[in-house]
């Protein structure tokens, strides 16, 4: 078992003061899974020391709650170890409000403490043989191999771990009635751990029967679990599980209204099936939270605006309606403003039309202003997910690739990324002053030739070198200067075309 030295330090200190200390919770589960993708996100320790006693042993700590959890600062460079939480053994009290236990009662043994935990795979404790390590000084920031350890596993969590089953500790009904958030935690875990994890039958049944308990849970806590589900590669599995267990109706009833809503001759799936399939693609492609949420919600307005039935049904304005409904959902769930604003924009414009032959640069610029150029890549990703979610074979057809090419081209042009006279370290006025010239075409000609020089030799882009070249140009007869100017401008046009070809190549158009 590989244990960070910071954790061993803490366990040693507890043991030197004659207290018990165990590694508990999600990190034990993650350690036993031996999956490199599931390394512990945080480390929790349980002890029989009381909060005051913990603080006496670890002066650099904070105790700011009533749950017996003291946060220890470790000076570790590893963000998962900077703060380690030590919690006094607890047993669960009565939950009259279905949210918090009425009173925290401390327990005497680790076994009692494990009883209050939610799922069998989270209810294991690791006891290390710290005796042998006691007097060794440890280097900070290293992991040490610990050979002597004991797993305390009264609910057969290890067995469920190998069988990939989420099972409530003890009576699932009681568990969920104590804390309704566990309803979502079960599904979140089933998604986070990996695709083939499932929820044990009785536990699943109890989630369904207790789904209304979610109404006692704060929107913020629901939102956090919802985000965690959406951010796993198994997001679509999570949404289907939320639906199957009736939890989706508690979180986003608007989404369940799309179930069974058929579309028209252009679609093979109902709105609901299309939405979760779109999300599935976005999650598998590891796209941003906003692209995932948009994929899930983009057609949520369709049931409200549907006209007609069968192959000719229409959904005019569903993008407006959808943006409005999504705004309501995201506000209700207290999503941060930048997230909801982006999602609302992406839904509002997900129907953008692009035709390589017809769409003008001006139309693209207008779209860029409306959606925001920082969101345009994600808009194309939404379109990809939308296509795959509709059953199309190709995510990025010629048209969509061509759209991205045009966007990049328009952006380069409007943002002046292409080389222009502006990059020169000398301007027309400088030339007029230096060489006593009259304003006129001669100035433009000299500048064009200088730009060409600089594009070939960027190191010449300084006042001294440019003036030296200009000095020679000023002496030339007009027709010779014009000839040189034409040549320079032709080379410049070639360069722009080359740039365009490069962007085209990037998008295979
Ligand atoms: P994560 O990987 O998100 O950290 P975790 O299982 O470690 O998952 P934490 O929120 O860190 O979750 O909680 C640590 C442990 O505390 C859990 O493993 C579980 O034993 C217990 N626990 C957390 N929340 C609950 C809850 N709502 N009900 C019962 N036990 C809980
Ligand atoms: Mg944890």
């Amino acid at each position: 078992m590989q244990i960070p030295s910071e954790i061993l330090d803490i366990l040693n200190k507890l043991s030197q003061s004659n207290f018990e200390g165990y590694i508990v919770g999600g990190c034990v589960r993650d350690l036993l899974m031996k999956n490199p993708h599931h390394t512990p996100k945080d480390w929790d320790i349980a002890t029989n020391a009381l909060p005051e006693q913990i603080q006496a042993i670890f002066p650099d700590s904070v105790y700011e709650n009533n749950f017996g959890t003291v946060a220890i600062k470790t000076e570790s460079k590893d963000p998962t170890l900077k703060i380690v939480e030590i919690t006094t053994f607890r047993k669960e009290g009565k939950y009259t409000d279905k949210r918090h236990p009425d009173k925290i009662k401390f327990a005497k043994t680790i076994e009692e403490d494990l009883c209050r935990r939610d799922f069998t795979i989270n209810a294991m404790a690791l006891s290390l043989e710290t005796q042998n390590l006691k007097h060794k000084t440890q280097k900070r920031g290293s992991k040490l191999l610990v050979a002597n350890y004991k797993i305390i596993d009264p609910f057969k969590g290890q067995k469920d771990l190998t069988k990939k089953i989420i099972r409530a500790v003890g009576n699932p009904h009681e568990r969920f009635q104590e804390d309704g958030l566990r309803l979502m935690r079960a599904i979140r875990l089933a998604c986070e751990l990996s695709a083939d994890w499932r929820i044990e039958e009785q536990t699943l049944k109890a989630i369904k029967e207790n789904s209304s308990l979610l109404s006692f849970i704060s929107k913020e806590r629901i939102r956090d679990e919802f985000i965690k589900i959406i951010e796993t590669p198994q997001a679509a599995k999570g949404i289907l599980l939320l639906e199957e267990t009736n939890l989706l109706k508690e979180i986003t009833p608007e989404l369940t209204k799309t179930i069974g809503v058929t579309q028209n001759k252009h679609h093979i799936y109902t709105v609901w099936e299309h939405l979760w399939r779109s999300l599935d693609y976005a999650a598998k492609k590891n796209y941003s939270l906003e692209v995932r949420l948009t994929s899930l919600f983009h057609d949520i307005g369709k049931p409200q605006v549907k006209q007609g039935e069968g192959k000719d049904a229409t959904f005019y304005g569903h993008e407006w309606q959808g943006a409005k409904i999504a705004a309501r959902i995201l506000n209700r769930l207290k999503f941060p403003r930048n997230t909801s604003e982006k999602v609302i924009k992406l839904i509002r414009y997900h129907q953008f039309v692009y035709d390589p032959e017809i769409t003008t640069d001006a139309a693209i610029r207008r779209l860029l202003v409306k959606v925001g150029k920082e969101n345009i890549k994600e808009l194309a990703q939404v379109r990809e997910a939308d296509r795959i979610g509709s059953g199309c074979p190709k995510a990025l057809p010629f048209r969509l690739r061509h759209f991205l090419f045009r966007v990049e081209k328009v952006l380069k042009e409007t943002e002046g990324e292409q080389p222009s006279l502006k990059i020169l370290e000398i301007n027309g006025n400088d030339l007029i002053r230096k060489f006593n010239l009259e304003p006129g075409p001669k100035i433009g000609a000299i500048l064009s030739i200088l730009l060409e020089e600089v594009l070939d030799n960027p190191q010449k882009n300084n006042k001294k070198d440019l003036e030296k070249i200009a000095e020679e140009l000023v002496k030339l007869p007009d027709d010779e200067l014009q000839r040189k100017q034409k040549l320079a401008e032709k080379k410049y046009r070639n360069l722009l075309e080359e740039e365009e070809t490069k962007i085209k190549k990037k998008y295979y158009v």
Side-chain angles (χ1 to χ4, degrees):
M1 196 69 69
Q2 290 220 337
I3 307 293
S5 60
E6 289 86 346
I7 299 297
L8 291 173
D9 263 352
I10 293 174
L11 293 174
N12 276 337
K13 287 199 177 117
L14 283 170
S15 137
Q16 278 159 9
S17 305
N18 291 319
F19 290 113
E20 293 170 40
Y22 300 87
I23 303 175
V24 288
C27 59
V28 178
R29 174 196 73 214
D30 296 337
L31 283 171
L32 293 174
M33 287 204 350
K34 300 206 162 64
N35 178 340
H37 301 295
H38 282 284
T39 50
K41 274 185 290 197
D42 49 35
W43 294 80
D44 297 308
I45 290 175
T47 179
N48 59 347
L50 294 169
E52 305 76 54
Q53 297 170 316
I54 302 173
Q55 287 214 282
I57 302 171
F58 303 97
D60 200 6
S61 62
V62 233
Y63 182 44
E64 289 175 336
N65 55 65
N66 302 315
F67 318 126
T69 299
V70 179
I72 311 287
K73 294 182 189 153
T74 67
E75 281 167 36
S76 175
K77 289 199 179 66
D78 181 340
T80 65
L81 286 161
K82 274 207 163 68
I83 301 267
V84 175
E85 293 190 335
I86 309 189
T87 306
T88 310
F89 295 158
R90 266 167 46 189
K91 50 184 160 207
E92 212 69 297
K94 266 208 166 50
Y95 284 73
T96 31
D97 67 350
K98 301 188 172 57
R99 257 185 278 217
H100 309 290
D102 297 347
K103 220 170 95 203
I104 295 294
K105 285 199 206 116
F106 292 129
K108 289 261 170 331
T109 64
I110 181 69
E111 285 80 8
E112 277 179 282
D113 181 87
L114 293 176
C115 280
R116 70 161 172 99
R117 295 178 183 268
D118 47 7
F119 304 107
T120 60
I121 54 165
N122 285 346
M124 297 183 272
L126 202 58
S127 160
L128 305 184
E129 201 49 78
T130 44
Q131 227 59 4
N132 325 342
L133 302 161
K134 222 178 200 170
H135 303 294
K136 286 186 193 157
T137 44
Q138 276 132 34
K139 256 199 318 204
R140 257 215 187 84
S142 57
K143 279 191 181 155
L144 296 175
L145 221 58
V146 177
N148 286 331
Y149 61 87
K150 214 170 70 197
I151 301 167
I152 300 154
D153 181 15
F155 306 102
K156 303 201 176 72
Q158 290 176 92
K159 197 167 150 221
D160 286 341
L161 203 61
T162 47
K163 288 168 73 184
K164 304 194 173 177
I165 291 174
I166 316 275
R167 184 197 310 270
V169 168
N171 180 331
H173 286 276
E174 283 171 18
R175 287 279 88 102
F176 294 128
Q177 270 157 28
E178 284 161 358
D179 178 3
L181 193 72
R182 292 172 186 164
L183 299 159
M184 285 186 83
R185 279 178 58 89
I187 292 174
R188 191 249 290 181
L189 277 168
C191 294
E192 262 178 3
L193 292 173
S194 69
D196 44 359
W197 274 77
R198 58 191 182 83
I199 300 173
E200 177 272 331
E201 213 175 305
Q202 293 308 313
T203 305
L204 191 68
K205 197 160 156 262
I207 298 178
K208 276 185 211 169
E209 288 169 10
N210 291 288
S211 60
S212 63
L213 292 175
L214 210 55
S215 58
F216 295 100
I217 303 300
S218 80
K219 298 291 185 222
E220 288 86 349
R221 292 178 81 200
I222 293 178
R223 172 203 61 206
D224 289 346
E225 290 298 322
F226 189 68
I227 291 179
K228 283 182 182 167
I229 292 171
I230 299 282
E231 284 192 320
T232 68
Q234 277 76 243
K237 166 186 170 184
I239 291 298
L240 289 171
L241 271 172
L242 288 174
E243 197 282 313
E244 184 192 338
T245 52
N246 302 330
L247 291 172
L248 196 63
K249 223 171 58 211
E250 302 289 333
I251 308 165
T252 58
E254 298 88 344
L255 203 50
T256 56
K257 294 213 175 85
T258 65
I259 296 173
V261 177
T262 56
Q263 306 204 55
N264 54 31
K265 61 187 164 213
H266 303 296
H267 297 269
I268 53 174
Y269 299 128
T270 62
V271 178
W272 163 246
E273 188 165 0
H274 167 58
L275 290 177
W276 65 255
R277 283 178 183 276
S278 302
L279 168 64
D280 190 41
Y281 177 83
K284 296 274 153 52
K285 292 285 283 193
N286 204 14
Y287 286 157
S288 67
L289 175 66
E290 289 85 356
V291 170
R292 294 175 194 221
L293 289 168
T294 306
S295 301
L296 179 61
F297 292 145
H298 70 280
D299 282 346
I300 204 167
K302 278 190 169 179
Q304 275 85 345
V305 301
K306 182 171 179 178
Q307 293 210 329
E309 268 305 330
K311 61 181 176 40
D312 293 318
T314 62
F315 300 95
Y316 296 124
H318 77 270
E319 64 274 36
W320 291 90
Q321 187 70 14
K324 217 168 76 187
I325 296 173
R328 200 154 68 214
I329 297 172
L330 297 169
N331 283 337
R332 191 176 63 226
L333 290 176
K334 303 194 191 309
F335 270 80
R337 211 160 127 160
N338 48 0
T339 306
S340 55
E341 274 175 3
K342 187 173 200 159
V343 171
I344 293 162
K345 266 190 201 157
L346 291 174
I347 296 180
R348 168 65 189 86
Y349 294 105
H350 82 270
Q351 289 282 93
F352 72 93
V353 181
Y354 179 74
D355 185 323
E357 307 278 305
I358 297 167
T359 308
T360 59
D361 282 1
I364 291 175
R365 269 193 292 272
R366 277 197 297 276
L367 182 68
L368 280 166
V369 169
K370 287 188 282 196
V371 182
K373 61 175 193 279
E374 69 284 5
N375 298 327
I376 205 79
K377 281 242 159 67
E378 283 162 297
L379 185 69
Q381 292 171 344
V382 165
R383 180 63 69 84
E384 264 183 78
D386 189 359
R387 283 178 55 82
I388 294 294
S390 306
C392 295
K394 243 177 149 181
L396 266 174
F398 175 77
R399 253 180 205 239
L400 202 50
R401 297 196 314 271
H402 201 276
F403 168 72
L404 288 170
F405 148 68
R406 285 285 293 285
V407 164
E408 189 160 331
K409 184 168 160 268
V410 166
L411 279 177
K412 274 237 164 89
E413 282 163 13
T414 42
E415 284 170 8
E417 266 183 45
Q418 47 175 252
S420 75
L421 296 180
K422 272 186 258 163
I423 68 165
L424 287 178
E425 286 297 333
I426 205 169
N427 63 28
N429 284 335
D430 296 334
L431 292 177
I432 291 169
R433 244 180 280 125
K434 174 91 188 165
F435 301 109
N436 259 326
L437 298 170
E438 291 288 309
K442 199 163 179 167
I443 312 291
I446 295 174
L447 287 172
S448 288
I449 300 164
L450 288 180
L451 176 63
E452 180 47 38
E453 277 284 343
V454 165
L455 291 176
D456 269 345
N457 299 300
Q459 76 279 6
K460 286 194 185 163
N461 195 7
N462 61 73
K463 247 196 163 108
K464 211 170 132 215
D465 279 333
L466 292 174
E467 277 175 2
K468 222 158 86 195
I469 305 168
E471 195 172 355
E472 294 307 309
L473 293 173
V474 172
K475 290 181 199 153
L476 290 177
D478 279 357
D479 57 341
E480 177 61 10
L481 192 65
Q482 265 171 30
R483 202 188 53 81
K484 272 187 173 281
Q485 177 188 10
K486 283 221 176 76
L487 208 68
E489 285 172 353
K490 191 169 163 215
K491 274 174 118 178
Y492 178 67
R493 275 195 305 276
N494 284 344
L495 185 95
L496 290 190
E497 264 165 40
E498 250 173 60
E499 278 293 305
E500 188 171 318
T501 314
K502 259 192 242 155
I503 310 175
K504 273 188 165 157
K505 271 218 181 102
K506 185 166 152 195
Y507 295 105
Y508 304 97
V509 295

